[in-house]
Amino acid sequence: MTRTDPLDVPRPDARLHFGVFFQGVNHWTVWSDPASGSQIDPANFRRVAQTAERGLFDAFFLGEGLRLREVDGQIHDLDVAGRPDAITQLAALAAVTDRIGLVSTSNTTFNEAPDLARRLSGLDLLSEGRAGWNVVTTDNAWTGANFRRGGYLDHADRYRRAEEFLTVARAIWDSWEDAAVSDSADAPSWAAPGAVRQVRHQGPQFDVDLAPTLPRSAQGHPVIFQAGDSGEGRDFAARNADVIFSAHGNDFDDALAFADDLRRRLRAVGRPEDDLRILPGTEIIIGATEEEALEKKRWIRLQQVTPATALGIAGLLWGIDLSGRDADGPLPKEDPVAAENDGSFGARRIADPRQVVAEWREKADANRWSLRETVIALGPQRGHVGTPEGLADKFAHFVRHGAVDGFNVTPYLIPDGLDDIVDHLVPALQERGVYRTDYTGTTLREHLDLREPLTHRTTTDRRRAG
Amino acid sequence: MSGPALRLALEIDGDGAHPAAWRRAAHSPDQLLSPRRLARVAAAAENAGFTLLTLDDGALPPGAGPDVVGRIGAVERAAFIAASTSVVGIAPVVPPTYAEPFHVSSQLASLDHISAGRAGWVVSEETRPEAASVWGRPLVDGDAARARESRDGVEVVRDLWDSWEDDAVIRSVATSRYLDRDRLHYVDFTGDTYTVKGPAIVPRPPQGQLVVFGSPDRVPGDQLDVALVEGRDLAAVTASASAAGTPRTFAEVEIALDTADATAEERVADLEEHGSWSDRGRLRHIGSAAGLAALLGELRGVVDGVRLHPLVLDEDLPELSRLVLPHLFERRHAVRPLPGASLRTHLGLDRPANRYAAAAAQEDAR
């Protein structure tokens, strides 16, 4: 056995938490493979969720996008697209799963707090305390074109609205006293008199005066997730979130630096530094040997980054339509053009495309890479590749040193892409004592070993926790 | 009267149609919102042979004043039921008065995917002024304004359902294209108070269009598949049904049945001590199962189906299951839904052509 002496590490008892992210819109799901199933068939959502539950995962996640992506005013046709409304799909999964958390990515810019809070409460009650909410914002009028409110919130305002949104949502979730509902048909009323508080809130974004419809769930209220790497995003997470997604899960030093930074921010807002779970998004590629795993990775990357996708990605960087060029040839000779951002997919903010292109050219020349090879090599380096034993050792090291609390895994194949993780990696992690061998709680909050919701903490809790 | 067999729908919100129904429920009040309770009611109704379950809703608690009763959103409940049943249709109430039509469209299309084509939509209105606060919107005041929001809401939701053609996902390995963008359409909806660009983010629902139920007084008949018609007696229902101008009509029928423990009259009287079963101008049967079966027999030929609103689900549903539905099925006065069929098929409605695909095909032919 490869167990390291757990007493030599900062967190000898740490356990790894896994979530699975059913990706929706993306080019990382290998849809060209014959084993790739429908991205909308409910059977595939069920299959992934049930496999994750078999693997004792904490949570099943769905993303959100409120407008189909476009490049240069045309719908982007290379990526997987078309997915269900998250909360609706998760409410269905609540009926066919028992333990796994169900996390919805839901937007605070184009939703109203009382409505979304109620939907999430409903999911939380239907799943008996397994709901989570990944709080996201939008800052473009392009998405707003699908909504009554239309409009545009700039970067600062969208976080202000998000924070006020959370305040209202929490007030709604906390408006019913515990055990507010009678347990007897002879009671004077269905809910105890006075047990339901009217929620009154007046602020720049929300003016609310209502009687909420729902009691608290078994976990108090939904677990709050947040992703966002800017200083502002990290501060928002430190003030509000129970879990943060990050892109800092590949390199140990980078992950540890991110985690330390967050712990500093947590202390600064008066929260205990272990109050937030850090789950970087990742892809896990497993082989029986290192060589097999690397070979699999090469194959997967080529499926993910087809010649057309490589030209599309490079086109975004250059700001030029490169379709029709030879992706297996050299990089385009042209200088990049800075594209104006209208929020659509085709015009993302790249601070200095000239500098990035210069780096690409240098590395492509040095390694004699084609355009496609360059896109693959220099694109986001996501994920971990190896044998179950090797990965288990690596992950044990990550979690025991406090670099991560776990990973949010994106399977590259739907619906079976999680199987080898559950069948091979999970047992290896269990052997090393860094993964649960059974669910010990029933709620998502319990799976993640989180304290009470932030608004439920008494002064004593705070003192004890601090 | 004779006529084609009826389709039977059951409203299953809360503990029943009476505001105090929870007092006679077979479970304690704090079990009303439990998933087990919801699954149990849905299973009992599916087993009984109902074609459709509807779930009432509203952004505010049902009941007013101190006696609030909790209610989970109808779409969420419908999705949960869809995953725990296999044959019965499911239609949540969703009022488009304040809601974002883009979200409504996505939620309902998703419900149709989840249920493999068993979903419908009961269009209602949010009439309480306090609801405006839930949405942070100006009050939609008056019948005409609410009807405008319903009309525009249904139109854009239907547009969005068609904004993906059925075969928009082409997965062309040779060209690397997952979608055919020519089979995706901007809806460019312009209503009286808002615009929506489209296309949808959810592929076209399995039924093409969900079955849309509503009152022909509130939503134009050509936007509805099924009119929900009211009237205190058979003559009034007949008049409403023949004026509806919709492909199908369902009569709203409120019921309280005799049980082994109490007569229907006694059961109603018991609950009336706690509040009133307000008269909404609907057919109401308070009495025996046989009497209800006879009334429903008379409705054949007048309407295509009925939606039953039981006084107390836990008391009336067992009587419906044991006595009323079997009687109707035996005499072919009503039919059970078939496994594997869509709600549209159950209601004898065609799967509609895609409005944009048809336009594109015409364009090609020119």
Side-chain angles (χ1 to χ4, degrees):
Chain A
M1 196 178 293
T2 50
R3 189 190 290 272
T4 52
D5 182 0
L7 297 174
D8 288 349
V9 297
R11 304 201 303 176
D13 300 326
R15 297 282 180 280
L16 203 69
H17 300 268
F18 273 150
V20 56
F21 180 40
F22 193 115
Q23 290 203 80
V25 176
N26 75 100
H27 72 268
W28 302 106
T29 301
V30 176
W31 54 261
S32 57
D33 191 77
S36 169
S38 162
Q39 302 290 315
I40 190 70
D41 184 341
N44 288 340
F45 289 88
R46 189 169 65 233
R47 168 130 175 76
V48 172
Q50 289 178 343
T51 302
E53 196 165 66
R54 179 163 63 81
L56 307 173
F57 277 41
D58 288 44
F60 176 96
F61 295 85
L62 289 174
E64 184 196 53
L66 297 174
R67 187 159 166 189
L68 282 191
R69 293 176 174 192
E70 290 176 3
V71 181
D72 294 333
Q74 285 208 298
I75 290 166
H76 186 54
D77 54 7
L78 301 178
D79 289 0
V80 169
R83 56 175 153 188
D85 173 74
I87 294 176
T88 311
Q89 179 65 60
L90 294 171
L93 290 174
V96 295
T97 56
D98 289 319
R99 292 293 184 94
I100 193 164
L102 302 166
V103 184
S104 170
T105 301
S106 299
N107 191 296
T108 55
T109 310
F110 297 109
N111 278 295
E112 294 304 318
D115 175 54
L116 186 63
R118 178 170 184 248
R119 287 185 193 285
L120 289 163
S121 274
L123 178 63
D124 211 10
L125 289 166
L126 289 170
S127 63
E128 300 187 292
R130 295 188 278 136
W133 172 26
N134 179 30
V135 181
V136 295
T137 62
T138 307
D139 70 345
N140 63 74
W142 179 78
T143 303
N146 280 335
F147 295 94
R148 284 176 186 264
R149 70 162 38 248
Y152 178 90
L153 285 170
D154 69 24
H155 193 75
D157 274 350
R158 69 178 173 148
Y159 272 115
R160 274 189 216 118
R161 179 174 165 92
E163 198 132 8
E164 195 179 326
F165 197 115
L166 260 172
T167 301
V168 174
R170 285 180 164 135
I172 288 170
W173 293 333
D174 290 342
S175 63
W176 290 52
E177 298 291 333
D178 284 331
V181 185
S182 165
D183 58 6
S184 159
D186 299 324
S189 56
W190 191 79
V196 183
R197 280 189 301 277
Q198 189 82 1
V199 172
R200 294 195 175 86
H201 172 95
Q202 266 191 316
Q205 294 288 340
F206 298 97
D207 185 353
V208 168
D209 184 356
L210 84 138
T213 60
L214 289 173
R216 284 183 199 163
S217 77
Q219 63 174 353
H221 58 66
V223 175
I224 305 295
F225 291 73
Q226 205 261 340
D229 209 4
S230 66
E232 206 178 2
R234 293 182 192 193
D235 282 337
F236 183 93
R239 284 195 302 275
N240 298 297
D242 298 305
V243 183
I244 187 165
F245 294 144
S246 82
H248 303 272
N250 273 318
D251 176 74
F252 177 81
D253 293 336
D254 175 54
L256 189 60
F258 177 81
D260 283 339
D261 177 65
L262 269 175
R263 289 192 268 264
R264 262 194 304 279
R265 290 174 199 263
L266 283 166
R267 285 194 300 271
V269 297
R271 288 175 68 183
E273 63 172 34
D274 65 343
D275 215 23
L276 187 66
R277 299 286 161 267
I278 301 168
L279 300 185
T282 198
E283 188 185 60
I284 296 175
I285 299 171
I286 296 176
T289 62
E290 290 292 329
E291 294 70 36
E292 191 187 306
L294 285 169
E295 184 52 41
K296 194 161 155 191
K297 176 186 164 183
R298 268 189 293 279
W299 176 82
I300 290 169
R301 290 289 177 265
L302 289 171
Q303 306 308 303
Q304 292 168 331
V305 184
T306 63
T309 293
L311 292 168
I313 291 171
L316 295 182
L317 172 59
W318 260 266
I320 302 173
D321 179 10
L322 299 175
S323 52
R325 307 270 184 110
D326 181 10
D328 295 318
L331 270 55
K333 298 273 181 285
E334 293 95 326
D335 285 332
V337 180
E340 197 182 317
N341 176 51
D342 68 349
S344 69
F345 175 54
R348 48 169 70 143
R349 273 169 292 232
I350 298 169
D352 186 356
R354 280 166 183 272
Q355 193 197 330
V356 179
V357 164
E359 282 167 28
W360 279 35
R361 286 214 169 100
E362 192 190 318
K363 291 199 169 135
D365 285 348
N367 295 289
R368 318 183 100 201
W369 286 334
S370 69
L371 173 60
R372 187 181 179 198
E373 287 166 333
T374 310
V375 170
I376 291 173
L378 301 183
Q381 290 309 299
R382 18 186 293 134
H384 296 273
V385 184
T387 62
E389 296 72 27
L391 290 171
D393 286 339
K394 185 176 171 186
F395 291 164
H397 180 70
F398 268 61
V399 73
R400 283 184 173 140
H401 285 83
V404 302
D405 293 297
F407 294 100
N408 197 27
V409 183
T410 55
Y412 52 82
L413 195 64
I414 295 296
D416 296 339
L418 216 51
D419 293 22
D420 53 2
I421 295 171
V422 167
D423 293 336
H424 303 295
L425 177 58
V426 163
L429 290 165
Q430 288 168 331
E431 221 171 83
R432 284 154 184 79
V434 289
Y435 199 84
R436 65 167 62 97
T437 51
D438 209 343
Y439 287 112
T440 48
T442 59
T443 69
L444 176 56
R445 196 168 291 280
E446 287 170 321
H447 299 341
L448 288 162
D449 199 16
L450 292 165
R451 296 180 178 84
E452 287 284 288
L454 282 167
T455 51
H456 293 199
R457 306 215 186 145
T458 62
T459 327
T460 334
D461 283 341
R462 286 185 192 281
R463 212 176 304 126
R464 197 185 306 135
Chain B
M1 190 181 286
S2 71
L6 291 172
R7 270 68 180 171
L8 305 173
L10 182 70
E11 167 58 44
I12 60 167
D13 183 53
D15 276 315
H18 196 286
W22 62 270
R23 293 183 180 278
R24 296 189 65 92
H27 59 85
S28 68
D30 56 6
Q31 291 303 302
L32 169 61
L33 303 176
S34 76
R36 280 179 300 274
R37 146 94 188 151
L38 184 60
R40 203 166 55 233
V41 170
E46 177 168 78
N47 295 341
F50 281 97
T51 293
L52 177 69
L53 306 179
T54 66
L55 295 144
D56 200 3
D57 202 13
L60 303 167
D67 194 9
V68 293
V69 174
R71 180 193 258 166
I72 296 172
V75 170
E76 290 73 63
R77 279 180 287 159
F80 182 90
I81 289 173
S84 49
T85 55
S86 55
V87 178
V88 71
I90 305 135
V93 161
V94 181
T97 315
Y98 298 100
E100 286 288 356
F102 193 83
H103 289 319
V104 172
S105 165
S106 299
Q107 290 157 6
L108 292 171
S110 301
L111 181 64
D112 205 40
H113 283 288
I114 290 162
S115 63
R118 293 184 283 133
W121 174 20
V122 181
V123 181
S124 70
E125 291 179 345
E126 196 67 79
T127 55
R128 289 188 266 178
E130 310 91 274
S133 152
V134 174
W135 299 96
R137 294 234 157 71
L139 179 65
V140 175
D141 202 7
D143 275 0
R146 282 195 298 274
R148 176 196 71 212
E149 295 306 315
S150 294
R151 179 202 67 210
D152 283 1
V154 173
E155 188 178 333
V156 66
V157 166
R158 282 188 175 280
D159 285 353
L160 287 164
W161 288 338
D162 275 352
S163 64
W164 288 56
E165 294 185 32
D166 292 319
D167 52 1
V169 174
I170 53 169
R171 297 170 77 127
S172 163
V173 174
T175 65
S176 232
R177 289 184 307 144
Y178 183 82
L179 299 172
D180 179 355
R181 62 165 72 109
D182 292 339
R183 300 177 204 188
L184 295 164
H185 304 278
Y186 294 101
V187 302
D188 285 321
F189 172 82
T190 303
D192 285 356
T193 59
Y194 60 91
T195 61
V196 174
K197 180 75 185 171
I201 49 170
V202 187
R204 193 172 191 231
Q207 296 182 96
Q209 295 266 316
L210 277 72
V211 181
V212 180
F213 297 78
S215 162
D217 299 336
R218 319 302 305 152
V219 182
D222 60 4
Q223 288 188 345
L224 293 176
D225 296 294
V226 182
L228 296 171
V229 297
E230 298 179 329
R232 283 194 185 77
D233 53 35
L234 216 52
V237 170
T238 307
S240 301
S242 56
T246 51
R248 297 286 178 273
T249 54
F250 269 50
E252 302 274 31
V253 184
E254 296 172 340
I255 61 161
L257 298 176
D258 298 335
T259 66
D261 294 334
T263 67
E265 298 280 1
E266 288 164 352
R267 295 175 50 224
V268 173
D270 174 37
L271 292 183
E272 289 292 292
E273 285 180 22
H274 301 283
S276 145
W277 194 12
S278 60
D279 181 355
R280 303 179 58 170
R282 292 169 169 173
L283 279 177
R284 190 175 274 188
H285 172 81
I286 299 172
S288 68
L292 176 61
L295 170 67
L296 298 181
E298 284 187 82
L299 280 165
R300 283 185 307 135
V302 174
V303 287
D304 303 294
V306 293
R307 177 162 72 145
L308 303 180
H309 300 260
L311 182 81
V312 178
L313 277 166
D314 286 350
E315 293 181 322
D316 293 293
L317 182 50
E319 300 303 317
L320 290 167
S321 301
R322 244 166 25 87
L323 300 172
V324 182
L325 272 64
H327 178 92
L328 296 171
F329 296 147
E330 255 171 35
R331 280 159 188 71
R332 298 206 168 96
H333 289 182
V335 286
R336 298 179 76 103
L338 297 173
S342 72
L343 179 57
R344 284 195 163 272
T345 303
H346 291 152
L347 299 178
L349 295 165
D350 289 338
R351 188 174 190 278
N354 185 306
R355 65 197 65 189
Y356 300 103
Q362 257 178 9
E363 202 64 33
D364 283 350
R366 242 173 243 153

